């Protein structure tokens, strides 16, 4: 097995780990009702996805 000859500096370790941080999710507004929600998710408010009704509204059926 290979063994490092020198200790890796704190700066080099930090530079390597700089890409490991979690980034916040991108939010997009719903094309039907306009609320902000993550991309590629059915809107919980109106039930649409990509301008198509996926979940029927229970209140409209009554």
């Amino acid at each position: 097995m290979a063994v490092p000859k020198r200790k890796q500096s704190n700066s080099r370790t930090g530079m390597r780990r700089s890409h490991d941080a979690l980034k916040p999710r991108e939010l997009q507004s719903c094309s039907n009702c306009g609320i902000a929600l993550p991309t590629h998710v059915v809107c919980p408010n109106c039930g649409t996805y990509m301008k198509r009704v996926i979940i029927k509204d229970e209140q409209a059926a009554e």
Side-chain angles (χ1 to χ4, degrees):
M1 275 180 55
V3 178
K5 187 167 272 208
R6 298 263 183 248
K7 177 185 174 183
Q8 198 170 35
S9 70
N10 293 336
S11 174
R12 187 171 291 277
T13 303
M15 283 191 279
R16 186 187 69 242
R17 291 179 181 168
S18 67
H19 302 286
D20 294 345
L22 294 175
K23 295 172 180 68
R25 292 191 70 176
E26 295 285 330
L27 294 179
Q28 185 177 0
S29 61
C30 176
S31 59
N32 191 29
C33 63
I35 67 166
L37 65 149
T39 55
H40 307 290
V41 172
V42 176
C43 179
N45 192 29
C46 61
T48 59
Y49 176 71
M50 301 282 287
K51 298 182 181 179
R52 284 181 268 161
V53 177
I54 304 297
I55 301 171
K56 301 284 186 195
D57 190 16
E58 295 175 1
Q59 295 175 351
E62 292 176 359

